[in-house]
Amino acid sequence: MTALATPPGPTGLPFLGNSLNYARDPLGTLSDLAREYGDIAHSRYAGADVFLVVQPAAIEHVLVKNRANYQKDRFLRSLRDVLGDGLLTSEGERWKADRKLMAPAFTPRRIHAYAGTMVACAREAEASWEDEVDVTEAMTRLTLEVAVRTLFGTTSSEDARRVGEAFRAVAEFFGHAVSVPLPVGWWSWIPTRRNTRYRRARRELEDVVARIVRERRADPSGDDLLSAMLAARDEEGRGLDDGQLRDQVLTLLLAGHETTSLLLTYVWDALARNPAVEARLHAELEQVLGGRDPELADLERLPYLRQVVQETLRLYPPAAIMGREAIGEDEIQGYRIPQGSIVLMSQWVTQRDPRFFPSPHAFDPERWAPGREAERPRFAYFPFGGGQRICIGEAFAMLEARLVIATLAQRRRFVATSAFPPRLGVSITLRPRDPVRMQLPRRG
């Protein structure tokens, strides 16, 4: 490759580079890099070259056009400690084989069959609420219940409780990992309270999933996702073994419920802060549903509901930062990307770029009115990633979010009582740092 220049960026400290700034405020640091240095910026993070790319064409280059030259970054690889080789963390032929085996479990027909379960879980959750709740906690409980019922075919609230408690410890651990400019393996063995809780939580998750896999193998006749995964076979008649099932179930269970619960949290907060949007959404729900529970067929007649979800995903993407590690040397926008360096693509940064979204900090679902998406380049909006490795659960999450919102919004008003905007932190996902408390007066 012809000698190319290094993109502009901050000098930073010896060895640590810009890692202390990133550890204190990942979203602010990346936003500052984009504002000060443009569409591609170079920094150093604990001895590694890191390149932030903002332009949709550059993001498409990494995720689609030259995807063979990139693998998951070091942070995502560290998740193998809890998720094993699930779809989120695996690479190469293993990922291709497992993705193909799991595809039948995520066909539209099978996903649509869970619509009734999603609505039922929303109704049961709403009936248990007081007049004021921590919305993040309430949405986590709700989406965990949906995940347990659709994934495992069980209504065991005890399983949902154990998984929820374990995942909180996992999220706390990896939230701390973001703030430590050293590989996880260098310090995770130290017997601190956080590390001990994490190891205990990891064992708890493995125990729950292993038991349920054993039970389902003994009786694989259910219509849940796990039964579909057990029935899947490749061209040679081989299915997923117990280790593969464990990894995939943990990935779906943890990544799936967490991102949807956060999406719902941000939807309720955004509606509470934007009364005109809330009023228009309720007018649509009243016109189409008239107070009854939503059904699958109703969703195509609720376009504004989808627009509200899409705008929330733009402004508050649960997956706010993606990283890829260059397997070989590359060139992006005329700059050299060395082998082994990290390329960061941030939904938070690109989806708030005024070139693609005028008045980017305003919550405006009209951006997603029919025909408007064609105004923007591909990968100006990528909340579920893109390319071959786009999230397999995208359709499931969008279905669940719309059905839950349509169910709950007809029964409760969500009135913000906490600070705005919520303080956000980056762990595996984009999470509020503080409880998002809201009053929930009943409608009618």
Side-chain angles (χ1 to χ4, degrees), residues 32-151:
D32 289 345
L33 283 173
R35 182 176 59 255
E36 294 177 24
Y37 299 102
D39 287 332
I40 180 167
H42 170 258
S43 59
R44 299 279 294 172
Y45 184 97
D49 286 296
V50 178
F51 299 86
L52 172 67
V53 297
V54 178
Q55 273 286 352
I59 296 168
E60 183 176 17
H61 172 85
V62 175
L63 296 181
V64 180
K65 294 183 177 179
N66 199 25
R67 64 179 182 271
N69 188 55
Y70 291 91
Q71 63 181 352
K72 296 287 186 177
D73 68 359
R74 299 166 197 179
F75 180 78
L76 274 175
R77 293 205 300 271
S78 70
L79 293 178
R80 286 177 176 164
D81 190 52
V82 64
L83 300 180
D85 280 321
L87 290 183
L88 183 65
T89 53
S90 61
E91 298 282 0
E93 294 303 316
R94 171 67 182 269
W95 176 86
K96 290 179 182 178
D98 285 358
R99 174 83 181 216
K100 190 172 183 180
L101 275 171
M102 292 182 65
F106 287 88
T107 61
R109 180 191 63 80
R110 181 170 287 278
I111 291 173
H112 291 166
Y114 300 130
T117 299
M118 295 168 177
V119 172
C121 288
R123 290 195 60 175
E124 292 168 16
E126 185 273 332
S128 71
W129 291 343
E130 303 293 337
D131 291 335
E132 184 172 339
V133 300
D134 176 351
V135 173
T136 308
E137 178 66 23
M139 293 303 107
T140 298
R141 290 179 181 274
L142 168 54
T143 56
L144 258 176
E145 192 66 31
V146 172
V148 168
R149 293 193 193 184
T150 58
L151 184 56

Side-chain angles (χ1 to χ4, degrees), residues 224-239:
D224 51 272
L225 288 169
L226 180 55
S227 296
M229 290 159 62
L230 281 165
R233 295 291 184 272
D234 63 16
E235 293 84 352
E236 299 178 6
R238 292 176 300 202

